[in-house]
Amino acid sequence: MIHAVVNPAGAGGRTMKTWLKAEEILQAKGCEYDVHYSSLKYNINDIVHDLSSQNTETDLLILGGDGTMNLTVNSIADFEKTRIALLPCGSGNDLAKALSIPKDPEACIEQLLKNKIVRQLDIGEAILHNRYDDNGVLKSEEDVTKRFNISAGIGFDAEICAFVENSDTKKKLNKVHLGKMSYIAAAMKVIFEAKHSACEMILDDEQTIHFDELLFTAAMNTAYEGGGFKFAPDADPKDGLLDLCTADHLGRFDFFRMFPYAYTGSHVKFDGVFMNRAKKAEIKTERPFWIHTDGEIHGLSSHITFQISGQKLRMLV
């Protein structure tokens, strides 16, 4: 039995159109399937959690993009008995790009029906040790853990996500299939408002690195984030490590000079860009920064840990 998980309103309606094509293929091949539509009362989190809590091998066909996959990885109850097939149809498809997953429904279903796990992906965790409100007032010092597939970030890249989330730009661009352009537009604006901070980064509880003017750190499980920017060219989501891309002492001029190169991964050659690799990175900043996981915003924090979890995401496609 294949359980398809669909958000009918996803990607400006594109998700539903993709599902209708996929359903025709499943029917033509005589596949046994069930479709689960998300709603305000019963969302992706609820569906995935319930399906993966049945104490039996469960195959999920997830239709969507990076946001939907983030909801999925945060809702799976039993990773050992849950297998995932992704049919990309979101506004952001960085995970699909990194894994070379085809957008064609027929190609996806052909692979799904082989009933074979083709990869087991690392799952990242972001642990927020404190949280602040938008005015910089401390709200909580209780640990909050969020999983991620692609990346987690503190600082500039998370602030871009926060800006996009709070504007109508992405929704408008989604309607003309240009959703990822919203991140580029946001970056152009946010760089003029972004602030720096002194920072201490502790890698694997052993190595301590100090940054005087941190702009951001992106903890990358895969190569791409933000709509196709190759922040970590050598990231491997199966190696048990995070690739950490950190920008320090970068002014506005430096940013505009470097930014175009991030699309190909050649930004790493610039002064002020530092690459590190670790299973765990604890970060403390003098001022709270925005935090994201796979583009989903979790507020502001000045103390966070990025790490690889002990779970694996078993992929059929």
Side-chain angles (χ1 to χ4, degrees), residues 9 44-45 63 92 101-102 113 122 145 149 157 165 177 205 223 228 233 252 285 288 309 312 315:
I44 298 287
N45 307 69
L63 284 86
I101 294 176
L113 295 181
D122 295 331
T145 301
N149 298 301
D157 65 332
E165 185 178 272
H177 310 309
D205 298 321
R252 292 169 188 165
T285 57
S309 80
K312 291 281 187 177
M315 300 289 293

Side-chain angles (χ1 to χ4, degrees), residues 256-276:
F256 284 111
R257 184 166 57 97
M258 179 199 75
F259 190 67
Y261 291 90
Y263 207 76
T264 61
S266 51
H267 63 293
V268 298
K269 68 183 181 182
F270 285 87
D271 291 339
V273 178
F274 302 87
M275 299 300 299
N276 291 281

Side-chain angles (χ1 to χ4, degrees), residues 161-196:
C161 296
F163 180 84
V164 170
E165 185 178 272
N166 293 319
S167 73
D168 294 327
T169 304
K170 186 175 181 180
K171 291 180 181 178
K172 293 176 181 177
L173 289 171
N174 274 344
K175 292 180 180 179
V176 291
H177 310 309
L178 293 172
K180 68 180 182 180
M181 292 297 295
S182 59
Y183 293 97
I184 298 175
M188 296 299 104
K189 176 176 175 57
V190 171
I191 189 59
F192 288 101
E193 301 172 356
K195 297 178 181 179
H196 300 74

Side-chain angles (χ1 to χ4, degrees), residues 70-87:
N70 181 266
L71 294 175
T72 298
V73 78
N74 277 283
S75 304
I76 293 174
D78 188 344
F79 284 91
E80 294 297 323
K81 294 184 178 180
T82 304
R83 306 191 302 180
I84 301 293
L86 170 62
L87 178 47

Side-chain angles (χ1 to χ4, degrees), residues 69-286:
M69 279 299 293
N70 181 266
L71 294 175
T72 298
V73 78
N74 277 283
S75 304
I76 293 174
D78 188 344
F79 284 91
E80 294 297 323
K81 294 184 178 180
T82 304
R83 306 191 302 180
I84 301 293
L86 170 62
L87 178 47
C89 49
S91 58
N93 294 300
D94 286 320
L95 182 62
K97 183 179 178 68
L99 301 177
S100 299
I101 294 176
K103 294 182 180 180
D104 176 48
E106 188 161 6
C108 174
I109 291 169
E110 286 286 352
Q111 180 60 49
L112 169 60
L113 295 181
K114 291 179 181 179
N115 196 32
K116 180 181 178 182
I117 296 173
V118 295
R119 47 193 149 211
Q120 298 193 54
L121 304 180
D122 295 331
I123 298 169
E125 291 180 338
I127 307 171
L128 284 72
H129 301 294
N130 60 30
R131 285 176 294 161
Y132 291 77
D133 65 18
D134 293 356
N135 297 315
V137 177
L138 182 65
K139 294 196 305 180
S140 172
E141 292 186 288
E142 181 179 352
D143 284 359
V144 174
T145 301
K146 299 292 181 179
R147 299 176 187 141
F148 60 92
N149 298 301
I150 300 166
S151 67
I154 178 170
F156 177 69
D157 65 332
E159 192 167 350
I160 292 172
C161 296
F163 180 84
V164 170
E165 185 178 272
N166 293 319
S167 73
D168 294 327
T169 304
K170 186 175 181 180
K171 291 180 181 178
K172 293 176 181 177
L173 289 171
N174 274 344
K175 292 180 180 179
V176 291
H177 310 309
L178 293 172
K180 68 180 182 180
M181 292 297 295
S182 59
Y183 293 97
I184 298 175
M188 296 299 104
K189 176 176 175 57
V190 171
I191 189 59
F192 288 101
E193 301 172 356
K195 297 178 181 179
H196 300 74
S197 173
C199 166
E200 178 183 85
M201 180 185 296
I202 305 169
L203 303 180
D204 292 329
D205 298 321
E206 295 177 352
Q207 180 186 3
T208 301
I209 305 173
H210 295 278
F211 297 104
D212 296 326
E213 294 184 18
L214 179 78
L215 182 61
F216 74 86
T217 289
M220 306 292 297
N221 191 35
T222 64
Y224 301 94
E225 75 164 17
F229 286 94
K230 203 172 186 179
F231 275 8
D234 300 322
D236 179 354
K238 302 184 296 295
D239 65 1
L241 298 169
L242 293 169
D243 283 39
L244 300 149
C245 177
T246 301
D248 185 49
H249 281 288
L250 281 183
R252 292 169 188 165
F253 174 77
D254 299 316
F255 170 81
F256 284 111
R257 184 166 57 97
M258 179 199 75
F259 190 67
Y261 291 90
Y263 207 76
T264 61
S266 51
H267 63 293
V268 298
K269 68 183 181 182
F270 285 87
D271 291 339
V273 178
F274 302 87
M275 299 300 299
N276 291 281
R277 186 170 286 152
K279 184 175 182 179
K280 174 184 175 183
E282 183 181 2
I283 297 172
K284 301 176 183 178
T285 57
E286 286 189 350

